[in-house]
């Protein structure tokens, strides 16, 4: 297998790395064009736009209630954007604020039981869709996808973090 950098031309990415970039763009375009987020929200009975679904799912997968800034950081967006979405989700009864035990001036956001149920329905819809899409794959191929995709996300996130620090 080629290394990350082309040995014949240092500084030039290798062909295997270059081949991945358009495939990632193609996957992103297919998911967006197919309106997967919107379809899953509809299937879950959620009348929410993509940003609101993103906030709800960020809270759903968190291991604890989060501050607005933490939600924004995890979603890689700005705080005011998240504040508007949280207010909309609060009006719909899908999230609520709880006091921060470490700072009484601050509040944390967490899903309500209705929000948790909605997020579970949404996640089930997505899992069902992806399961159908890869139904012809072997167990080994599915395991490889999960392992490699997890590694890619972790490495890209770490690399971007280093770029922001530098």
């Amino acid at each position: 297998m080629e290394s990350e950098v082309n040995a014949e031309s240092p500084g030039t990415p290798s062909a295997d790395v270059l081949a991945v970039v358009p495939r990632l763009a193609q996957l992103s375009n297919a998911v967006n064009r197919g309106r997967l987020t919107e379809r899953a929200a509809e299937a879950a009975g959620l009348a929410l736009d993509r940003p609101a679904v993103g906030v709800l799912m960020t809270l759903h997968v968190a291991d604890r209630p989060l501050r607005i800034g933490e939600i924004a950081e995890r979603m890689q967006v700005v705080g005011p954007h998240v504040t508007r979405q949280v207010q909309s989700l609060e009006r719909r009864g899908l999230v609520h604020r709880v006091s921060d035990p470490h700072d009484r001036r601050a509040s944390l956001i967490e899903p309500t039981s209705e929000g948790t149920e909605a997020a579970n329905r949404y996640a089930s819809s997505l899992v069902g869709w992806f399961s159908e899409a890869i139904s012809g794959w072997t167990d080994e191929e599915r395991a490889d996808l999960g392992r490699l995709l997890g590694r890619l996300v972790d490495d890209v996130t770490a690399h971007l973090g280093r770029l922001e620090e530098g």
Side-chain angles (χ1 to χ4, degrees):
M1 179 193 244
E2 291 185 51
S3 65
E4 291 180 24
V5 176
N6 188 329
E8 296 174 14
S9 179
T12 303
S14 63
D16 57 341
V17 173
L18 285 174
V20 170
V21 175
R23 298 300 282 175
L24 289 172
Q26 186 180 10
L27 176 61
S28 176
N29 289 337
V31 168
N32 287 332
R33 192 175 47 253
R35 297 182 47 249
L36 185 55
T37 301
E38 293 83 357
R39 289 173 193 257
E42 290 169 15
L46 294 174
L48 299 174
D49 60 10
R50 184 182 297 214
V53 169
V55 170
L56 183 61
M57 293 307 294
T58 298
L59 290 166
H60 182 65
V61 300
D63 58 348
R64 59 184 170 73
L66 301 174
R67 289 184 178 205
I68 296 284
E70 291 174 300
I71 300 167
E73 183 178 309
R74 289 178 185 211
M75 294 181 65
Q76 300 177 341
V77 298
V78 295
H81 170 76
V82 172
T83 299
R84 285 189 299 275
Q85 298 304 322
V86 165
Q87 290 168 344
S88 174
L89 291 167
E90 280 181 305
R91 284 191 296 274
R92 292 186 163 125
L94 298 173
V95 302
H96 64 212
R97 295 174 190 265
V98 295
S99 61
D100 184 336
H102 304 292
D103 183 353
R104 294 196 175 185
R105 297 169 296 169
S107 61
L108 303 172
I109 313 301
E110 69 180 2
T112 62
S113 58
E114 184 180 337
T116 297
E117 290 171 15
N120 283 334
R121 289 192 312 270
Y122 176 82
S124 291
S125 178
L126 281 180
V127 168
W129 187 88
F130 278 105
S131 293
E132 288 175 19
I134 62 173
S135 64
W137 292 26
T138 66
D139 290 345
E140 183 179 1
E141 289 170 328
R142 290 176 190 221
D144 287 346
L145 173 65
R147 180 180 53 78
L148 292 171
L149 190 56
R151 183 176 175 187
L152 176 65
V153 169
D154 291 346
D155 290 349
V156 167
T157 302
H159 186 65
L160 289 172
R162 288 189 298 273
L163 289 175
E164 289 177 5
E165 291 171 2

